[in-house]
């Protein structure tokens, strides 16, 4: 089949929830993708911050093949070797105390919300079910996660959603304080807002939120689904802030291509929250995805990915800053590590479409931000190539 056939057939078959880019991707190698016509693309999107270790990673493939031939799935009614290894490694890098494996980010959020609700319930705080979330946040598409997502456009058609969710302004501590009440059970936010336009939390803001939580026995839920797993140069972004969440969610790069997510809790939450029968999943953390987590974390350690991200992101930041200076319609760069955004006055969808034509995969965030979330293994040469392709693209909008 040729490209147009694939596109037309797919459009005919799938529920129309995406406006897809005009390309049919077929294979990947390292930081490059290839379409059905053999055209090569430099990938600075990584399947939305998922493919941290790049495409067709030999050792990762071997680990998965190995596991396929042993055991794919058992259900969570039994123990298996892989979830044992995976959970041990995850707790070590997260500094959290317990983990529950899910199939996606949105499910990790559902679990986090349930854990927070159950915590208040066990403490016999009657009517304590309110959650403070942030404007311009994104936490997923299932109804619970959508309830705490600060984007009216996503929420409105599906209302009524969870009751008792209030939205504060991100990085505005007064707006959080105004919403705290005896009914508040949790405050949820991304440590670095992703879909909303790449906004890192201010250190003071996060510390003050943590303080409010401590004083009022409110649980702090940090969503690290996009900014976690080494993307900011810390294993989890909050680790660079000198605070610790009570509950953390993770997904995207945790499996580097297989569908898996997780929510983590501290022992304080574990002892006063979910119990047998309260929560479950058929697939979650099965031997196959757990083997992927084990291999991902093994490579993170062996390749010293965090040090590499700290190193290479400085170079990326410098190059993007130069770009912002050079083009009048680029407003500013912001972000942390390999999670960067450049705000533009020119339509960013148009820019990203044009970039694709020029062999560069780039996605957007919010209404006016170009988002840079490449595989964590990129080199200076890859950054140079990206900048050159991006300049070629931007020049057509001058
Ligand atoms: C992608 C994302 C989610 C949702 O994850 P899914 O796996 O798509 O359900 C939630 N929170 C953040 C911050 C995300 O970036």
């Amino acid at each position: 089949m040729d490209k147009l056939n694939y596109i037309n057939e797919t459009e005919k078959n799938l529920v129309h929830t995406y406006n897809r880019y005009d390309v049919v991707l077929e294979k990947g190698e390292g930081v490059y993708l290839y379409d059905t016509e053999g055209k090569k693309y430099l990938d600075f999107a990584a399947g939305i911050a998922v493919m941290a270790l790049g495409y067709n990673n030999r050792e990762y493939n071997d680990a998965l093949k190995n596991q396929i031939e042993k055991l794919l799935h058992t259900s969570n009614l039994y123990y298996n070797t892989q979830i044992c290894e995976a959970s041990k490694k995850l707790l070590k890098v997260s500094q959290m105390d317990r983990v529950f494996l899910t199939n996606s980010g949105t499910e990790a959020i559902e679990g986090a919300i349930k854990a927070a609700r159950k915590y208040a319930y066990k403490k016999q705080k009657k009517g304590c079910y309110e959650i403070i979330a942030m404007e311009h946040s994104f936490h997923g598409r299932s109804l619970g996660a959508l309830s705490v997502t600060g984007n009216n456009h996503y929420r409105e058609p599906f209302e009524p959603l969870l009751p008792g969710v209030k939205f504060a302004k991100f990085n505005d501590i007064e707006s959080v304080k105004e919403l705290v009440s005896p009914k508040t059970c949790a405050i949820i936010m991304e440590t670095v807002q992703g879909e909303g336009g790449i906004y890192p939390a201010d250190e003071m803001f996060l510390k003050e939120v943590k303080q409010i939580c401590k004083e009022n026995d409110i649980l702090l839920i940090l969503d690290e689904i996009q900014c976690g797993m080494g993307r900011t140069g810390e294993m989890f972004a909050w680790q660079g802030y000198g605070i610790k969440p009570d509950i953390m969610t993770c997904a995207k790069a945790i499996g580097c291509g297989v569908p898996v997510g997780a929510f983590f809790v501290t022992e304080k939450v574990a002892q006063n929250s979910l119990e047998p029968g309260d929560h479950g999943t058929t697939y979650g953390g099965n031997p196959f995805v757990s083997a992927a987590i084990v291999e991902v974390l093994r490579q993170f350690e062996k390749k010293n990915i965090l040090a590499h991200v700290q190193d290479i992101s400085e170079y990326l930041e410098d190059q993007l800053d130069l770009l912002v200076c050079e083009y009048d319609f680029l407003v500013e760069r912001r972000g942390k590590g390999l999670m960067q955004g450049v705000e533009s006055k020119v339509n960013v969808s148009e820019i990203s479409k044009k970039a694709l034509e020029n062999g560069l995969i780039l996605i957007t965030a919010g209404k006016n931000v170009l988002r840079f979330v490449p595989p964590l293994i990129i080199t200076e040469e890859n950054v140079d190539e990206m900048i050159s392709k991006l300049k070629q693209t931007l020049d057509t909008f001058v």
Side-chain angles (χ1 to χ4, degrees), residues 293-355:
I293 293 173
V294 171
E295 174 60 16
V296 166
L297 292 176
R298 189 190 69 79
Q299 289 197 30
F300 262 68
E301 196 173 331
K302 186 179 129 211
K303 297 181 176 169
N304 208 347
I305 293 288
L306 297 185
H308 176 69
V309 171
Q310 286 158 18
D311 221 36
I312 192 72
S313 61
E314 257 181 56
Y315 187 69
L316 175 63
E317 284 183 359
D318 289 346
Q319 298 307 307
L320 290 177
D321 284 340
L322 288 174
L323 217 60
V324 171
C325 285
E326 196 172 325
Y327 294 85
D328 285 341
F329 61 85
L330 298 181
V331 181
E332 68 163 353
R333 173 197 65 78
R334 53 178 183 258
K336 266 189 194 297
L338 289 180
M339 182 168 179
Q340 297 288 336
V342 170
E343 196 173 316
S344 160
K345 289 186 210 158
V346 167
N347 186 307
V348 287
S349 311
E350 294 303 319
I351 296 177
S352 95
K353 273 182 207 152
K354 190 76 192 170

Side-chain angles (χ1 to χ4, degrees), residues 3 37 63 155 176 179 196 257 297 333 360 372 380 387 395:
K3 171 178 158 176
E37 290 162 339
R155 296 158 46 88
V176 176
L179 298 179
L297 292 176
R333 173 197 65 78
L360 172 63
F372 303 81
E380 282 195 9
I387 293 288
D395 284 341

